[in-house]
């Protein structure tokens, strides 16, 4: 089974994603479930990479991804100063929605092969919670 863990900020902006496993729907090279998950997540990575390249200097946004072996992918978006513009935040929300809706659709159709977990990450800067709750 492919397990996708999507972590978002309280506003819904993508912060990180970790994917592990194999769909095992069909033989290697012919697995449509694996292909679908791969296309969704590669597209999300390409969108994040492009967005972060465009705003890296102004917003101090950093995108990192790793795919050390087959069946594993992880990526994250970090903000050096803890703040981003409303435009960048909206784009990160759209990318999170893209991942969530795409994987949810696959999970409905192939519940034995794909599972999605969504987490909300509290946003803190220098020990203070940006949601007005002490960290």
């Amino acid at each position: 089974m492919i397990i996708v863990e999507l972590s978002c900020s309280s506003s819904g902006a993508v912060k990180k994603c970790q994917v592990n496993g194999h769909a095992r729907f069909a033989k290697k090279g012919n697995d449509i479930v694996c292909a679908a998950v791969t296309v969704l997540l590669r597209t999300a990575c390409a969108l994040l990479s492009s967005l972060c390249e465009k705003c890296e200097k102004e917003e101090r946004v950093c995108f990192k991804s790793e795919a050390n072996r087959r069946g594993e992918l992880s990526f994250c978006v970090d903000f050096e100063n803890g703040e981003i513009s409303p435009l960048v935040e909206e784009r990160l929300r759209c990318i999170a929605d893209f991942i969530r809706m795409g994987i949810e659709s696959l999970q409905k159709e192939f519940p034995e092969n794909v599972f999605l977990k969504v987490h909300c990450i509290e946003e803190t800067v220098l020990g203070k919670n940006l949601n007005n709750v002490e960290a």
Side-chain angles (χ1 to χ4, degrees), residues 1-56:
M1 174 177 280
I2 297 174
I3 299 173
V4 179
E5 292 190 61
L6 177 63
S7 300
C8 300
S9 68
S10 59
S11 69
V14 64
K15 295 286 284 179
K16 65 181 180 177
C17 186
Q18 185 164 347
V19 185
N20 290 293
H22 297 280
R24 304 204 192 290
F25 181 76
K27 291 181 184 176
K28 181 178 167 182
N30 294 309
D31 195 324
I32 61 169
V33 178
C34 179
V37 170
T38 299
V39 167
L40 284 169
L41 295 172
R42 281 187 178 179
T43 302
C45 283
L47 288 166
L48 287 166
S49 179
S50 175
L51 174 64
C52 291
E53 281 177 20
K54 290 176 184 173
C55 64
E56 184 177 20

Side-chain angles (χ1 to χ4, degrees), residues 37 40 96-107 114 116:
V37 170
L40 284 169
D97 288 344
F98 171 82
I99 296 168
R100 184 183 45 76
M101 293 175 79
I103 299 298
E104 281 177 351
S105 174
L106 290 170
Q107 181 177 273
V114 180
L116 174 66

Side-chain angles (χ1 to χ4, degrees), residues 88-103:
V88 171
E89 185 174 24
E90 178 61 27
R91 288 184 178 171
L92 292 172
R93 274 195 300 267
C94 288
I95 294 169
D97 288 344
F98 171 82
I99 296 168
R100 184 183 45 76
M101 293 175 79
I103 299 298

Side-chain angles (χ1 to χ4, degrees), residues 14-16 48 52 61-64 75-79 92:
V14 64
K15 295 286 284 179
K16 65 181 180 177
L48 287 166
C52 291
V61 179
C62 178
F63 170 70
K64 296 177 186 173
F75 56 86
C76 66
V77 180
D78 288 318
F79 315 103
L92 292 172

